[in-house]
Amino acid sequence: MNAKRGHVPADDDPATKPDDWDNAFVTHSTDELRKVVAKSHALGPNKNPTKEQVTVRYSPEVLAYFRATGAGWQTRMDEALREYVSGQKAV
């Protein structure tokens, strides 16, 4: 068998060390295993997202301006839009 068909050479399969098994989970119960796997796939602390993902189109100039401000430009764009919205409500 060649590499294209999935053959793994013996030197590419290193022996495991005792520390490799420190976090291993051993069970004979499928239900218990399913629970552990489901828990590991659960969402993090932000289970209820505060933002919504959408597709929107902006002019190149607007995107260039915010992108030029560096990392976090999307958050700054959101803040600018929030400020605009709050100003509109006050009128």
Side-chain angles (χ1 to χ4, degrees):
M1 209 179 238
N2 63 25
K4 284 186 179 179
R5 296 199 173 239
H7 176 73
V8 179
D11 60 342
D12 194 30
D13 186 19
T16 59
K17 300 176 197 91
D19 331 349
D20 294 339
W21 299 96
D22 285 350
N23 296 320
F25 177 77
V26 180
T27 182
H28 295 287
S29 164
T30 318
D31 292 331
E32 187 179 5
L33 179 60
R34 282 189 184 122
K35 288 177 188 174
V36 170
V37 170
K39 186 177 178 182
S40 71
H41 290 279
L43 294 174
N46 190 12
K47 292 181 181 159
N48 297 319
T50 56
K51 296 181 180 178
E52 183 178 341
Q53 182 175 351
V54 297
T55 301
V56 65
R57 295 176 184 266
Y58 292 106
S59 67
E61 299 83 14
V62 170
L63 289 175
Y65 171 82
F66 280 100
R67 286 178 175 155
T69 63
W73 67 271
Q74 292 173 328
T75 301
R76 284 187 291 282
M77 182 183 255
D78 182 58
E79 289 167 356
L81 288 168
R82 282 175 181 251
E83 188 176 316
Y84 174 81
V85 169
S86 67
Q88 294 302 307
K89 289 180 181 176
V91 173

